[in-house]
């Protein structure tokens, strides 16, 4: 079954790399949003199987997007993988308490990133069964 993944990042190059990786190697459908507001709208309209969410974005950061997704019954069960350059131990502790499916740190390997995404989503799906 083809999965539909929503990529949320204000950096268009990052979105393009993630999209190519997921579509070419994982054979999944990738949808892109370049802002928090667009992400929330597309999450509701597209009902993706998972969301890759950048933490640092202007206007509405990933944490604010996460809170809005969690507050809406239509989007609260969608697994979210944070994509971030923040790798301090205090940041990791905060991420682990949020209930996200996983965290991917930037920079990432564009050739193998899809494998990490597949692993995180698979582990998350197994926990929900």
């Amino acid at each position: 079954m083809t999965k539909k993944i929503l990529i949320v990042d204000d950096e268009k190059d990052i979105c393009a790399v993630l999209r190519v990786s997921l579509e070419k190697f994982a054979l999944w459908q990738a949808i892109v949003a370049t802002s928090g507001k667009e992400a929330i709208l597309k999450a509701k309209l597209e009902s993706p199987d998972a969301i890759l969410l950048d933490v640092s974005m202007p206007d509405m950061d990933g944490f604010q997007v996460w809170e809005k997704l969690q507050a809406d019954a239509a989007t609260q069960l969608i697994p979210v993988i944070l994509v971030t350059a923040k790798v301090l131990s205090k940041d990791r502790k905060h991420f682990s308490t949020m209930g996200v499916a996983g965290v991917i740190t930037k920079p990432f390997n564009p050739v193998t990133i899809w494998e990490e995404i597949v692993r995180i989503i698979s582990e998350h799906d197994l926990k929900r069964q």
Side-chain angles (χ1 to χ4, degrees), residues 101 117-129:
I117 294 166
V118 168
R119 181 190 57 74
I120 291 169
I121 292 172
S122 295
E123 287 175 3
H124 184 268
D125 287 349
L126 284 173
K127 288 177 187 175
R128 288 174 45 177
Q129 293 180 355

Side-chain angles (χ1 to χ4, degrees), residues 29-62:
Q29 178 185 1
I31 304 155
V32 173
T34 57
S35 72
K37 288 182 182 178
E38 184 182 10
I40 293 164
L41 179 64
K42 286 190 175 182
K44 289 180 186 179
L45 292 174
E46 299 283 347
S47 298
D49 295 295
I51 300 172
L52 299 177
L53 179 59
D54 182 29
V55 171
S56 300
M57 296 186 295
D59 299 326
M60 185 184 300
D61 67 22

Side-chain angles (χ1 to χ4, degrees), residues 16 21 26-28 50 59 65 81 85 90 96 104 106-107 114 121 124 128:
S21 183
L27 304 177
W28 290 351
D59 299 326
V65 173
I81 300 171
K90 69 176 183 159
S96 68
I104 293 174
K106 293 179 184 176
W114 70 275
I121 292 172
H124 184 268
R128 288 174 45 177

